[in-house]
Amino acid sequence: AEYRGKLVFGRYCYLCHGVNADGNGRKAKMYNPKPANLLLSDKTDAYKTLIIRRGGAAMGRSEFMPPWGEELTDEQIADVVIYLGSIRQPSSP
């Protein structure tokens, strides 16, 4: 699941969130606010699932985050959430 999630991320998410998921993708400079640094995200898996499915505007976040629910399957979304959990860096004390 983690590997599949990395593949989905690499196809759909990296242009904005960056290949390292740090919010510095090639398109990031076009947006204000910038895409989230997913390495430091404190959001729950349930929240991540919803924002991927519904998009940023529906969640009270950036309107530039598109809803992927029509394009990605539930399994693909779950795999991305697992992948994001695997790369998350613990926050500093």
Side-chain angles (χ1 to χ4, degrees):
E2 182 182 325
Y3 179 72
R4 291 190 312 259
K6 182 176 184 176
L7 294 177
V8 173
F9 184 90
R11 179 161 181 200
Y12 295 94
C13 314
Y14 84 97
L15 278 176
C16 295
H17 289 285
V19 292
N20 298 318
D22 58 6
N24 291 312
R26 288 191 315 203
K27 288 187 166 186
K29 61 183 169 280
M30 297 170 43
Y31 302 119
N32 184 15
K34 275 182 52 180
N37 179 340
L38 301 173
L39 298 174
L40 303 177
S41 176
D42 62 355
K43 303 298 185 233
T44 65
D45 288 354
Y47 182 93
K48 291 174 190 171
T49 299
L50 286 174
I51 199 166
I52 294 167
R53 183 173 287 129
R54 297 180 180 172
M59 300 295 289
R61 301 288 299 268
S62 173
E63 64 191 80
F64 302 115
M65 168 71 184
W68 292 105
E70 296 293 315
E71 181 131 3
L72 299 176
T73 66
D74 288 347
E75 182 182 38
Q76 286 175 308
I77 291 171
D79 289 346
V80 168
V81 170
I82 290 168
Y83 170 67
L84 293 176
S86 76
I87 62 170
R88 186 178 172 280
Q89 298 173 349
S91 54
S92 304

